[in-house]
Amino acid sequence: TQLLEQSPQFLSIQEGENLTVYCNSSSVFSSLQWYRQEPGEGPVLLVTVVTGGEVKKLKRLTFQFGDARKDSSLHITAAQPGDTGLYLCAGAEDGNQFYFGTGTSLTVIP
Amino acid sequence: DTGVSQDPRHKITKRGQNVTFRCDPISEHNRLYWYRQTLGQGPEFLTYFQNEAQLEKSRLLSDRFSAERPKGSFSTLEIQRTEQGDSAMYLCASSPGTAGTEAFFGQGTRLTVV
């Protein structure tokens, strides 16, 4: 059972465009993580958000945690081919297991 | 500074054989997680340990799967009588275990059952 739904599932854009990926749930999480994964490798942590309404920026990436701590978004400005990968959100309930989203596969075309 | 290490990176086995994977977490992390991931999907929870205690096990985990973390350090995941449906990436992650902290993943073990 997937507690976290991501949209879109697939995204193909031109270099330089902006994009937003959404992660939604009906559950409340104590924290939410975003990961990026390349084929054949494990997920690499990008950011953790813990406070409702929190916004974090990592260079061209902006992460937001919903006020109710049920949803999150990832916005990429001026996408580059190096941003290509599978983006995963994961929610933690009181530090127990992490529930992963369905993933968003991003392709940035040069 | 070493991250989470998994061994082997790749394993090809014949259907019906047993396989065992190893995970070495980040040394100060007391929580260790196993996940399974199929192509294009998000990781699916299998089980997790707090030190040497196995605290939760997915209902999706059949009796052919067993995991151990005997001294609260490294962990092993064994699959008995492998089936083709077991083919997947098996991911291990560790975390400090404090509520609200993140998990760090290894590079995974890619299992192919032929």
Side-chain angles (χ1 to χ4, degrees):
Chain A
T1 303
Q2 292 280 8
L3 295 185
L4 290 160
E5 294 290 334
Q6 287 185 238
S7 61
Q9 188 175 357
F10 298 97
L11 192 55
S12 181
I13 62 171
Q14 293 291 134
E15 182 177 0
E17 292 183 350
N18 302 333
L19 67 115
T20 302
V21 176
Y22 298 94
C23 174
N24 296 297
S25 176
S26 57
S27 300
V28 176
F29 296 104
S30 59
S31 69
L32 192 139
Q33 290 80 41
W34 283 93
Y35 293 84
R36 178 169 160 269
Q37 186 178 24
E38 296 191 12
E41 301 292 329
V44 175
L45 180 69
L46 296 174
V47 78
T48 295
V49 286
V50 296
T51 305
E54 182 177 3
V55 176
K56 280 192 174 179
K57 291 191 175 182
L58 184 66
K59 296 183 180 178
R60 294 176 294 101
L61 279 60
T62 302
F63 305 86
Q64 185 164 8
F65 201 12
D67 291 341
R69 306 208 315 276
K70 293 182 179 181
D71 52 79
S72 181
S73 64
L74 159 61
H75 182 79
I76 301 179
T77 303
Q80 299 177 1
D83 296 328
T84 293
L86 180 68
Y87 287 82
L88 296 160
C89 64
E93 290 181 331
D94 299 326
N96 293 323
Q97 66 158 294
F98 295 84
Y99 298 91
F100 276 85
T102 47
T104 294
S105 180
L106 172 65
T107 302
V108 181
I109 302 166
Chain B
D1 179 27
T2 58
V4 178
S5 177
Q6 291 189 244
D7 183 70
R9 290 291 311 278
H10 305 274
K11 178 70 177 179
I12 300 175
T13 190
K14 291 184 178 179
R15 190 174 48 190
Q17 297 294 305
N18 299 342
V19 294
T20 300
F21 309 141
R22 176 178 171 124
C23 172
D24 287 272
I26 295 171
S27 60
E28 64 269 24
H29 287 183
N30 53 29
R31 290 205 174 183
L32 185 147
Y33 307 82
W34 285 100
Y35 285 83
R36 177 172 63 190
Q37 186 180 28
T38 52
L39 194 63
Q41 299 295 313
E44 175 185 42
F45 171 76
L46 294 179
T47 188
Y48 90 93
F49 293 83
Q50 171 87 21
N51 299 314
E52 67 276 8
Q54 188 172 17
L55 295 188
E56 190 172 348
K57 193 174 174 180
S58 169
R59 287 172 293 176
L60 301 175
L61 207 60
S62 78
D63 292 341
R64 297 183 297 105
F65 287 71
S66 62
E68 294 182 343
R69 194 183 183 196
K71 297 182 179 179
S73 56
F74 73 93
S75 175
T76 58
L77 176 68
E78 181 183 17
I79 308 174
Q80 297 182 326
R81 305 181 302 282
T82 53
E83 302 172 356
Q84 286 189 319
D86 297 331
S87 295
M89 173 78 89
Y90 289 84
L91 294 164
C92 175
S94 70
S95 79
T98 305
T101 58
E102 56 268 335
F104 296 88
F105 281 82
Q107 293 179 300
T109 295
R110 167 70 67 187
L111 173 66
T112 303
V113 182
V114 299

